[in-house]
Amino acid sequence: MHQLSGSDTEALALFEHLPDAVVIVNTQWRITALNQQAASLLQRARKEVPGKLLWRTVPEALGTACQQHYQQALQTHTAIRFETWCPPWGKWFQVTASPASGSLALFFQEILWSEHDAQARWREGAVRGSGHLSQAILDSLTANIAVLNPAGTIIAVNEAWRRFAQDNCPPGSLVRTEVGANYLEVCRKATGAFAEEAPEALAGILAVLHGSLPHFTLEYPCHSPMEDRWFLMSATPLPAGEGAVVAHLDITKRKQAEAAVRASEARARRLLEANLIGVVVAGREHILEANDAFLEMVGYAREDLARRCLNWSAMTPAEYAPLDQHALQELDERGVCTPFEKEYYRKDGGRVPILIGAALLQEQPWQCACFLLDITERKERERTKDEFISMASHELKTPITSLKGFAQLIRRRLKQQGMNELVQYLERMQTQLDTLTKLVNDLLDVSKIQAGRLDYAQESVDLDALIYEVVEFLQQTTTTHTIRLRGASSVHIVGDRDRLNQVFTNLLTNAIKYSPQAKTVDVQIVPSAEMVTISVRDYGVGIAPAHQGKIFDRFYRVQASRDKTFPGLGMGLYISQQIVERHGGKLRVTSEEGQGATFSVTLPTGEPNIAEL
Ligand code: ADP
């Protein structure tokens, strides 16, 4: 034990050649002298320290066990020796506090521990004592955690690590991972489950221990015979080069979820790459991803897509913009949109007709998936069919007109000759010729509508008079039904008188045709602000909801066994709707199967009504 005697200066002369650092303080804790070793340890010039407060010079000692020991030595006049870990130097010291006549000499001797002692000291001092890493906190974590000293020796582990080590390295196994084992050696000697990743792990931990890497992580699989497991290993340095914390976190669930996502992505990609239909992922402006089928449809290359050259709204001809807007609205409201037909401009300037459906993928950032079918061939077939219908009806029209003319002539002659029976036959023939004429005219109208060539006159039409005329005419031709007309609008609208006549004639003819068991048909005119609604109500077979949206399509007929008895080609409502819409109006149906149907035509009465072509 070091004893101080005589004056501080004399004593110091003695201590100068001791390996210990020596500091002498007075009872007020002011440093009165220090030897060269102490000055070097404090990294101060030797002469600038005396007179300074000990606690100012080494503030880290304040409030620690050291301070208590120094005080005790002074109060009891007894020398005290203890070992302590000194964070500023990252070293263990044996400290002797030796009191003598109003002063206290402090001797600091560095302890060079054996590896084994170091583990125990570190564990005691750094882990339990320091309060920085509480064992309780470590134990409460689910990750397997070990604290390594700078040499890589495991000096502390948490409960999870201990259990994992027990389960995976049973007694007698070569690899030991409990406290005292060197983890770097464990990595070096690794065989089996962790072996492939072990060299990388070793390099990472070493880099962290040496301070060349601020943090290291590694994901690795651990194939136990029972199950596949995945771990995330991390190595984090402790302050002041004191070692590192190594943690192994079980990430099997995350890996399984990732694998499931990857598998479903792969499935989706296979569907995409099947190229049966065009598939794209689009944002509000650009097409972000597309399969080859789509790129082929629009004649763009994959590089164009990568350069974000495919702006879908710029690729859409102006007349389809409202349809796109409607689809976008549907997507925002319902997440999907009803498939519809449109066209895209190809890169070469031509157009490609497509059928498109879409589903919202995400809102932030907005993205949707679109499925597109090239309908060029179908459109071409439709065009050929329309051309044929148009040509055939033109060809039919001439002989029918001539037949009608001759039939009229013969009828007149026979009447003059009083051959009444033959006159009756000829009248029936004329009725059939009228039906034939109507069919041919309808066919012609349909093909004209398709080609956008149905002409409309713009004239002032007295609506009440027109309805009255249609009702009166049809009342004369039907013996089975009474047509009841109610209401009046007293308005004139601007439109095509004959075409509007065609609409109401068709609605009333249908009302009679599809209500063979009924006796009445009601027609009602209801004016309202800037509108007039004419409804035709029958009490017949009605229309099931599933068909109500389709009966206005070209050639659509309700296919039910009972309908076999109703003749027709499914053109009347299509033509009627087109005419009403060209007058700026709407044609709607309300019906229940077996309960009759009401067709309502709503026409605007304000401004000129024929929509611009
Ligand atoms: P068509 O009567 O020549 O078949 P339309 O275009 O006029 O053609 O009508 C289309 C279909 O709508 C008809 O086939 C019929 O099934 C249904 N339909 C039309 N009007 C009525 C009605 N008043 N009652 C029941 N079904 C109707």
Side-chain angles (χ1 to χ4, degrees):
M1 174 150 324
H2 304 270
Q3 282 292 334
L4 194 68
S5 62
S7 77
D8 297 343
T9 333
E10 282 165 11
L12 267 175
L14 283 172
F15 303 141
E16 213 54 64
H17 28 257
L18 274 182
D20 303 20
V22 185
V23 178
I24 299 171
V25 294
N26 64 18
T27 47
Q28 278 79 49
W29 301 107
R30 288 200 186 274
I31 297 172
T32 53
L34 73 167
N35 69 357
Q36 185 51 48
Q37 288 84 326
S40 320
L41 197 62
L42 292 170
Q43 292 180 322
R44 301 279 169 88
R46 196 170 163 190
K47 56 179 184 303
E48 86 182 27
V49 184
K52 297 233 158 65
L53 263 180
L54 174 68
W55 312 123
R56 281 259 164 80
T57 317
V58 196
E60 295 86 354
L62 206 59
T64 65
C66 291
Q67 189 191 358
Q68 286 170 14
H69 290 315
Y70 299 164
Q71 266 165 348
Q72 198 187 342
L74 265 182
Q75 280 160 12
T76 59
H77 301 286
T78 322
I80 290 181
R81 181 181 288 173
F82 58 93
E83 288 158 4
T84 186
W85 168 259
C86 296
W89 300 287
K91 287 174 178 168
W92 282 91
F93 285 93
Q94 186 184 66
V95 184
T96 307
S98 182
S101 58
S103 60
L104 183 69
L106 303 169
F107 298 82
F108 297 86
Q109 187 183 22
E110 190 184 341
I111 308 171
L112 297 168
W113 298 100
S114 71
E115 190 72 355
H116 180 76
D117 286 342
Q119 297 154 18
R121 296 286 161 185
W122 207 98
R123 207 152 100 85
E124 222 174 284
V127 179
R128 292 241 168 88
S130 73
H132 290 307
L133 295 167
S134 150
Q135 187 70 37
I137 295 175
L138 284 181
D139 286 345
S140 68
L141 299 175
T142 49
N144 309 332
I145 297 172
V147 183
L148 309 188
N149 74 3
T153 303
I154 301 173
I155 53 174
V157 297
N158 74 343
E159 189 53 26
W161 179 289
R162 206 179 51 71
R163 257 185 281 118
F164 188 77
Q166 252 170 22
D167 294 349
N168 290 277
C169 316
S173 79
L174 286 175
V175 184
R176 311 288 302 150
T177 54
E178 76 276 298
V179 171
N182 188 297
Y183 198 62
L184 302 177
E185 286 307 309
V186 172
C187 294
R188 276 190 197 105
K189 290 184 191 148
T191 51
F194 179 44
E196 259 179 48
E197 285 73 25
E200 202 181 336
L202 176 66
I205 297 170
L206 274 171
V208 168
L209 285 173
H210 295 161
S212 55
L213 207 63
H215 187 64
F216 170 75
T217 55
L218 171 73
E219 286 185 3
Y220 66 92
C222 186
H223 308 291
S224 81
M226 314 295 288
E227 56 184 339
D228 272 0
R229 289 167 80 184
W230 274 87
F231 286 91
L232 170 71
M233 193 207 89
S234 67
T236 312
L238 286 172
E242 291 167 28
V245 175
V246 170
H248 295 262
L249 183 67
D250 190 331
I251 52 165
T252 311
K253 285 215 170 73
R254 197 196 85 201
K255 280 287 180 186
Q256 283 168 346
E258 280 173 7
V261 169
R262 268 200 306 280
S264 94
E265 270 179 0
R267 278 199 295 273
R269 194 145 288 280
R270 270 203 297 283
L271 281 179
L272 253 170
E273 283 159 6
N275 282 328
L276 291 173
I277 53 169
V279 182
V280 306
V281 174
R284 287 237 183 244
E285 284 181 6
H286 289 99
I287 292 174
L288 310 170
E289 282 182 49
N291 66 352
D292 290 343
F294 175 77
L295 292 175
E296 211 169 288
M297 251 177 235
V298 288
Y300 281 89
R302 199 150 278 287
E303 297 80 65
D304 299 322
L305 180 69
R307 285 204 308 273
R308 288 275 165 93
C309 294
L310 276 76
N311 178 318
W312 59 260
S313 91
M315 286 166 66
T316 304
E319 65 267 32
Y320 294 103
L323 286 181
D324 276 355
Q325 280 312 316
H326 183 258
L328 286 176
Q329 201 180 329
E330 257 193 296
L331 275 178
D332 287 337
E333 282 166 10
R334 300 197 296 129
V336 288
C337 81
T338 320
F340 64 102
E341 290 179 12
K342 64 175 275 187
E343 286 181 329
Y344 274 127
Y345 283 124
R346 288 172 49 85
K347 192 180 183 183
D348 60 16
R351 288 180 178 212
V352 56
I354 50 126
L355 174 71
I356 180 171
L360 189 65
L361 288 183
Q362 57 183 51
E363 286 179 31
Q364 285 301 333
W366 193 94
Q367 276 182 13
C368 71
C370 306
F371 307 93
L372 308 99
L373 199 64
D374 185 340
I375 52 170
T376 310
E377 273 181 33
R378 201 191 84 198
K379 285 281 169 192
E380 189 50 34
R381 277 201 303 276
E382 273 176 19
R383 201 184 55 76
T384 328
K385 188 178 74 190
D386 289 343
E387 264 176 24
F388 173 78
I389 292 173
S390 160
M391 226 166 57
S393 33
H394 269 294
E395 291 299 316
L396 285 170
K397 213 173 165 166
T398 324
I400 293 172
T401 315
S402 131
L403 276 176
K404 272 175 86 172
F406 284 120
Q408 223 162 5
L409 187 75
I410 298 170
R411 184 175 162 269
R412 250 200 324 269
R413 292 271 168 87
L414 290 176
K415 210 169 179 182
Q416 281 164 5
Q417 291 166 21
M419 300 173 82
N420 290 338
E421 202 186 343
L422 288 178
V423 168
Q424 268 180 16
Y425 290 142
L426 262 168
E427 275 171 357
R428 278 195 218 161
M429 197 171 124
Q430 273 181 314
T431 312
Q432 292 306 316
L433 278 172
D434 284 344
T435 310
L436 201 56
T437 310
K438 180 170 181 314
L439 268 178
V440 170
N441 283 340
D442 279 357
L443 276 171
L444 261 176
D445 284 350
V446 168
S447 52
K448 280 184 193 161
I449 289 169
Q450 283 302 109
R453 287 200 307 261
L454 192 63
D455 295 328
Y456 293 85
Q458 285 213 52
E459 55 199 330
S460 175
V461 182
D462 179 339
L463 208 56
D464 294 348
L466 172 75
I467 309 278
Y468 183 81
E469 190 183 301
V470 174
V471 169
E472 199 184 40
F473 175 76
L474 287 174
Q475 188 63 83
Q476 280 170 14
T477 58
T478 172
T479 50
T480 49
H481 290 70
T482 305
I483 306 171
R484 300 186 298 207
L485 173 62
R486 276 184 292 157
S489 66
S490 313
V491 293
H492 280 66
I493 64 163
V494 177
D496 188 317
R497 197 170 201 287
D498 290 344
R499 290 291 176 201
L500 289 171
N501 185 311
Q502 195 178 342
V503 171
F504 296 115
T505 304
N506 178 246
L507 295 182
L508 272 165
T509 316
N510 277 353
I512 294 165
K513 180 163 75 171
Y514 293 105
S515 65
Q517 313 295 331
K519 295 204 162 17
T520 45
V521 170
D522 286 318
V523 179
Q524 195 170 14
I525 307 173
V526 181
S528 58
E530 297 183 358
M531 295 279 184
V532 57
T533 301
I534 303 101
S535 53
V536 178
R537 166 95 173 97
D538 69 61
Y539 303 88
V541 295
I543 305 154
H547 297 290
Q548 289 176 15
K550 299 179 191 160
I551 51 173
F552 301 101
D553 290 351
R554 200 160 50 122
F555 305 126
Y556 187 86
R557 307 206 70 233
V558 178
Q559 292 297 327
S561 52
R562 54 149 229 265
D563 274 357
K564 282 184 186 141
T565 53
F566 300 117
L569 288 177
M571 292 186 287
L573 286 180
Y574 171 72
I575 298 169
S576 299
Q577 191 184 48
Q578 296 290 324
I579 295 173
V580 171
E581 284 182 0
R582 285 293 298 271
H583 282 78
K586 282 257 177 293
L587 172 57
R588 298 189 183 88
V589 64
T590 50
S591 177
E592 258 179 64
E593 202 172 8
Q595 302 293 312
T598 304
F599 284 84
S600 319
V601 176
T602 304
L603 291 167
T605 53
E607 292 301 300
N609 309 100
I610 293 187
E612 287 298 312
L613 269 176

